[in-house]
Amino acid sequence: MTSQRKTICPLDCPDACGLIATIENGKLSKLTGDPDNKVTKGFICRKMRRYPERVESDQRILYPLLRTGPKGSGSFERISWDEAWTILVDNLSSIQREQGGEALMPYSYAGNMGHVAQTAGMPFFNKFGASRQGRTICSATAKAGWKAHMGACPGADPEKAADASLVVVWGINVKVTNVHFWPMIQQCRKKGGKLLVIDPYKNITAKAADDYYPVKPGGDAALALGALKVIVEREKHNKTFIKQKTEGFEDLEKYLRGITWPGIEKESGLSKARITDLANWLIANPRTFVRIGIGLSRNSRGGMAVRAITCLGLALGLMENKDGTGMLLSSGAFQTNDEPLEHPSLSKKETRIINMVQLGDALTTLTPKIHGLFVFNSNPLSVAPDSSKVKEGLAREDLFTVVHEQLMTPTAKYADLVLPATTSFENKDVYSTYGFFQLGITEPVIDNKGEAIDNFTLFQTLAAKMGYTEPAFHETFDERLQNYLSTVGGIPETVDVRSLKPGDYVESINKNAVFDQGEYLPFRFVSANLASDQSAIPCLGDLYENDDSTLLAEFPLQLITPPNASYLNSTFGEMHKEDPGILLIHPDDATHRNIGNGDMVKVFNRRGYINRKAKVTEDTQPGLLVAEGINWENPEKRIYGVNELTSQATADLAGGGTFHESLVEVCLLS
Ligand SMILES: Nc1nc2c(c(=O)[nH]1)N[C@H]1C(S)=C(S)[C@@H](COP(=O)(O)OP(=O)(O)OC[C@H]3O[C@@H](n4cnc5c(=O)[nH]c(N)nc54)[C@H](O)[C@@H]3O)O[C@H]1N2
Ligand SMILES: Nc1nc2c(c(=O)[nH]1)N[C@H]1C(S)=C(S)[C@@H](COP(=O)(O)OP(=O)(O)OC[C@H]3O[C@@H](n4cnc5c(=O)[nH]c(N)nc54)[C@H](O)[C@@H]3O)O[C@H]1N2
Ligand code: SF4
Ligand SMILES: [Mo]
């Protein structure tokens, strides 16, 4: 029997596509794009076309598993759920009794973007008194940079880009990570508009650009300030907008007139002539749309990069209510209220916050010690930086690790107890886009596989087994969902969220928000909401690792680790276990190391090493290596995850990761 049901992509992608699932004899056999979804328009990426293989894979974890071999060996035996609950409750209770609640660390992120699934553990961890997780790994830095000058202003509707005469794609690989924005760029170009791409390497989006700027990693603040210096010195800034809608421009203008070109060129890696080209494009095109990525924020000046770019846009008046103009980082389409999902009042004390990008240190050096790690919706051994530190922590015999997973990820291999998780196609939930302005709900399209349970059921059952009796722990899934939906801001008055069905896509009222009046004003060139150790205006400055001269002497090459088109973070790693991945290296760097195209190479620094296949290409700059994709480690095949090389150092704002700032050396693999 074959049927088709509407659902939504659960992956951490700005597009949150509407999907049509084909089910044959109870199995998910095909996923296609929903033609009725205004963003998806019937088209999905290649990753998701392969997702049915993952859902139906014989690699799925179907039963609770208990470790039988050394940690990390992947030796487990099947146990019953009754046994699993007993082990879980006994271990958590003894951690709480002997070490206190904060000895338990939750670790979750965005394996499933359903709002209920993502936050399902929070009420439990609040009641338990566990340490809290600083959710910094993705967009915290970029959003803090945006907020510093844009305040509460959400991003502009990406559809405006179709009417722009210039689209600037800044630190985002649109054709890989935000594919449904590409049609808007195509529409813009059809009408004669142009595309600029600013990225350290010539990725597939940059290859399609009309003009490409190979900025140095972490050099965007210098580039944006340089372009703004040209604009201001030529008096081409939008004086009316600045006067009426903003504050503090004089301070920034004074600073810009004082900075000199050698510093700007050195930090940005681009010449005055090229930076002037960028300024000329912006001056010539009052209808400019700037799509700011998160990639440019993954370094020690990442917050500053977003700050300088937003100030450049503000000085040009890009947030004026005009066709074809705008800036977008993350859409902020729906104002979400986490209270009904997380029940913070269950927490009796302000427990410590542990930054999730410093998991390695948290498990190895933090005091008081962590004795329990509860992972769901995430694969930290692959996605968190400094993997060897994470592994050292996970290997601790005195650490009780439970992992709720769909597949035997590198993290799950280190668990004491592995619990089987459903996929989103087995669950209900609500999803919203962060690159567009839509929200929709899903129902299960297939039955649970084996004995797998969803995140909500896991934590409600665990709470009951722990004897928790508060009302939050008696909520049904529908109650939690409805309580949440009724508080979400941005839903049009004409929509009754309680009666949404799969295939109904709600468009946020913020899609048409006008930013140059009312609550969003004034925009500020001098930020009013940063810590006192931060410059209130965007400014030049050094990078933490890439500008460290001692380290540079030993490890002269920079490494960035952006996404791969076949993976979604580390999801789909199970399909590429035997593939070491590609390393892009410039001919200048390859030649004097005797590295030829296709050679296996070892990339290393003090934190660790990885082995990859070299691709010698001018798509990257001299001195810059590019390793796309968060592959799973497979030590038997001498394959290691890319985060062996990345650092636990945090970005300049909000504690984000510095995944695109590592110094390394490379040689032929012997
Ligand atoms: N196929 C695929 N799609 C994805 C993901 C995936 O893993 N695979 N991940 C998803 C997730 S979780 C997120 S957060 C988004 C992230 O998507 P993006 O916002 O696109 O961010 P990144 O992918 O980190 O990097 C994007 C680009 O920034 C460039 N970059 C790195 N450093 C700098 C810099 O200093 N300056 C500038 N200008 N550019 C720089 C990189 O080379 C890369 O081309 O994508 C989502 N979509
Ligand atoms: N080097 C480097 N590292 C990076 C980045 C980078 O650009 N470079 N990007 C960073 C970014 S932006 C992000 S967002 C993080 C992402 O970090 P994560 O959110 O951890 O991303 P995934 O690798 O997709 O892992 C999600 C896991 O959740 C599981 N999962 C899916 N659905 C469910 C569910 O319903 N229940 C349970 N229990 N599990 C489920 C999946 O099987 C998968 O193994 O990675 C970061 N790491
Ligand atoms: S990963 Fe992104 S582009 Fe691909 S189907 Fe999901 S939402 Fe759409
Ligand atoms: Mo992310």
Side-chain angles (χ1 to χ4, degrees):
M1 234 194 35
T2 304
S3 61
Q4 289 195 321
R5 309 274 297 272
K6 290 204 175 185
T7 182
I8 295 176
C9 175
L11 298 181
D12 186 356
C13 165
D15 302 7
C17 287
L19 303 176
I20 296 180
T22 304
I23 297 103
E24 283 179 65
N25 301 322
K27 291 191 168 174
L28 180 67
S29 63
K30 195 173 173 189
L31 288 171
T32 52
D34 182 353
D36 300 328
N37 182 299
K38 285 189 193 158
V39 171
T40 312
K41 294 200 174 91
F43 154 75
I44 59 169
C45 66
R46 69 160 114 139
K47 306 178 288 295
M48 215 47 197
R49 287 197 289 263
R50 289 195 70 182
Y51 204 84
E53 285 171 49
R54 185 170 198 276
V55 173
E56 302 295 344
S57 158
D58 56 13
Q59 294 186 48
R60 279 286 295 272
I61 297 166
L62 299 176
Y63 313 102
L65 300 171
L66 185 65
R67 179 166 68 87
T68 52
K71 292 208 178 198
S73 65
S75 311
F76 293 94
E77 64 178 4
R78 178 179 171 181
I79 56 170
S80 69
W81 264 112
D82 280 344
E83 289 170 288
W85 290 124
T86 305
I87 293 165
L88 188 52
V89 168
D90 285 355
N91 275 280
L92 296 183
S93 305
S94 79
I95 288 170
Q96 190 163 50
R97 208 173 38 244
E98 287 158 29
Q99 327 285 344
E102 283 184 314
L104 179 65
M105 178 175 181
Y107 203 99
S108 69
Y109 206 65
N112 174 343
M113 290 286 277
H115 292 275
V116 178
Q118 245 194 327
T119 53
M122 289 306 290
F124 174 82
F125 294 118
N126 281 330
K127 167 76 184 169
F128 189 89
S131 288
R132 285 172 296 157
Q133 174 190 345
R135 299 182 73 83
T136 52
I137 205 163
C138 178
S139 57
T141 297
K143 283 180 178 161
W146 173 275
K147 194 169 154 218
H149 302 280
M150 307 297 290
C153 180
D157 179 5
E159 285 176 32
K160 290 187 96 180
D163 296 318
S165 59
L166 183 68
V167 177
V168 183
V169 160
W170 204 322
I172 174 166
N173 191 357
V174 173
K175 290 186 94 172
V176 170
T177 60
N178 183 200
V179 292
H180 292 86
F181 183 54
W182 187 249
M184 286 139 215
I185 295 175
Q186 283 175 315
Q187 285 172 45
C188 154
R189 294 173 101 182
K190 241 188 216 153
K191 295 182 230 168
K194 301 289 182 205
L195 170 67
L196 307 191
V197 170
I198 302 170
D199 202 289
Y201 81 113
K202 205 168 195 181
N203 61 31
I204 178 173
T205 311
K207 284 186 178 158
D210 296 288
D211 197 6
Y212 162 61
Y213 294 83
V215 67
K216 247 168 66 170
D220 302 278
L223 173 59
L225 292 171
L228 191 49
K229 179 178 170 70
V230 175
I231 291 164
V232 165
E233 285 175 355
R234 291 211 206 137
E235 304 271 341
K236 294 292 185 189
H237 45 298
N238 187 331
K239 291 190 188 119
T240 317
F241 180 83
I242 291 171
K243 183 151 178 268
Q244 292 176 355
K245 317 284 178 179
T246 73
E247 275 181 11
F249 186 69
E250 310 70 35
D251 289 25
L252 181 58
E253 185 177 9
K254 191 163 155 234
Y255 175 76
L256 289 168
R257 291 187 190 275
I259 54 177
T260 57
W261 282 103
I264 298 169
E265 290 183 321
K266 180 175 159 283
E267 284 188 25
S268 66
L270 292 163
S271 65
K272 180 180 177 187
R274 288 299 282 143
I275 297 174
T276 306
D277 289 342
L278 174 62
N280 285 337
W281 280 111
L282 295 168
I283 291 167
N285 289 280
R287 276 184 300 119
T288 290
F289 191 95
V290 183
R291 180 71 173 92
I292 309 171
I294 305 175
L296 58 77
S297 73
R298 305 196 203 288
N299 61 65
S300 59
R301 285 180 48 77
M304 190 60 89
V306 176
R307 295 182 57 195
I309 296 165
T310 53
C311 285
L312 171 64
L314 288 175
L316 291 162
L318 294 186
M319 294 315 258
E320 251 179 343
N321 185 27
K322 264 192 340 204
D323 286 348
T325 70
M327 290 191 281
L328 172 66
L329 172 78
S330 180
S331 72
F334 298 93
Q335 290 82 31
T336 51
N337 175 355
D338 294 332
E339 213 279 332
L341 296 175
E342 301 186 359
H343 292 281
S345 60
L346 287 167
S347 164
K348 292 287 166 275
K349 87 174 218 232
E350 281 276 293
T351 55
R352 64 181 171 180
I353 298 178
I354 302 176
N355 187 339
M356 69 185 291
V357 304
Q358 293 173 325
L359 178 65
D361 284 350
L363 294 180
T364 53
T365 54
L366 187 71
T367 51
K369 252 182 165 178
I370 292 167
H371 287 271
L373 178 70
F374 201 133
V375 179
F376 71 104
N377 240 11
S378 185
N379 175 16
L381 176 48
S382 304
V383 303
D386 204 354
S387 311
S388 52
K389 266 277 152 57
V390 176
K391 246 181 289 185
E392 185 187 325
L394 290 175
R396 267 175 48 200
E397 277 304 325
D398 63 341
L399 178 76
F400 172 69
T401 302
V402 49
V403 176
H404 182 231
E405 249 301 351
Q406 301 162 342
L407 298 157
M408 191 50 75
T409 58
T411 310
K413 275 192 166 177
Y414 277 83
D416 295 283
L417 183 63
V418 180
L419 302 174
T422 49
T423 66
S424 66
F425 296 99
E426 293 146 73
N427 308 332
K428 293 185 180 185
D429 221 318
V430 53
Y431 295 86
S432 53
T433 54
Y434 61 90
F436 297 90
F437 284 79
Q438 286 188 343
L439 172 146
I441 63 137
T442 60
E443 297 276 349
V445 300
I446 50 169
D447 293 338
N448 288 18
K449 299 280 174 199
E451 295 179 3
I453 62 173
D454 63 277
N455 301 2
F456 180 80
T457 306
L458 169 72
F459 286 105
Q460 290 301 75
T461 313
L462 176 58
K465 304 260 179 206
M466 293 285 289
Y468 297 170
T469 54
E470 284 81 353
F473 301 115
H474 292 300
E475 280 171 354
T476 62
F477 185 94
D478 286 330
E479 284 165 348
R480 185 160 303 168
L481 178 67
Q482 293 302 341
N483 290 343
Y484 170 65
L485 282 175
S486 62
T487 64
V488 171
I491 308 274
E493 273 177 17
T494 50
V495 173
D496 177 7
V497 279
R498 285 164 312 175
S499 58
L500 284 180
K501 295 185 303 301
D504 295 337
Y505 305 106
V506 182
E507 277 203 334
S508 163
I509 52 172
N510 294 324
K511 184 169 154 63
N512 301 314
V514 174
F515 303 124
D516 60 1
Q517 44 185 272
E519 62 194 303
Y520 304 125
L521 298 183
F523 296 114
R524 295 173 199 278
F525 289 98
V526 178
S527 177
N529 59 20
L530 293 172
S532 57
D533 60 346
Q534 302 281 339
S535 164
I537 53 165
C539 60
L540 301 175
D542 287 340
L543 289 157
Y544 179 71
E545 177 153 326
N546 283 1
D547 288 326
D548 179 332
S549 53
T550 318
L551 262 186
L552 272 167
E554 200 178 342
F555 303 106
L557 299 170
Q558 302 182 353
L559 171 78
I560 58 171
T561 62
N564 174 306
S566 303
Y567 288 71
L568 196 296
N569 298 322
S570 78
T571 301
F572 301 105
E574 77 283 359
M575 293 182 185
H576 308 281
K577 279 184 193 160
E578 311 258 311
D579 178 7
I582 302 282
L583 180 84
L584 307 188
I585 178 168
H586 191 273
D588 293 357
D589 298 317
T591 310
H592 81 264
R593 291 176 177 83
N594 287 323
I595 293 170
N597 207 21
D599 285 344
M600 281 301 297
V601 293
K602 175 174 175 171
V603 190
F604 57 97
N605 60 19
R606 286 184 199 162
R607 293 181 283 267
Y609 65 90
I610 63 171
N611 302 326
R612 286 205 171 203
K613 196 176 198 178
K615 181 172 174 192
V616 180
T617 168
E618 290 187 352
D619 289 346
T620 186
Q621 343 176 358
L624 177 68
L625 305 181
V626 183
E628 289 181 348
I630 311 174
N631 58 314
W632 283 16
E633 67 167 24
N634 184 356
E636 276 169 28
K637 301 275 171 192
R638 298 173 80 198
I639 292 173
Y640 304 98
V642 74
N643 278 315
E644 292 285 340
L645 296 168
T646 57
S647 148
Q648 292 182 70
T650 54
D652 49 349
L653 294 180
T658 52
F659 294 109
H660 300 328
E661 186 181 347
S662 309
L663 290 179
V664 297
E665 181 51 284
V666 60
C667 63
L668 280 170
L669 181 64
S670 49

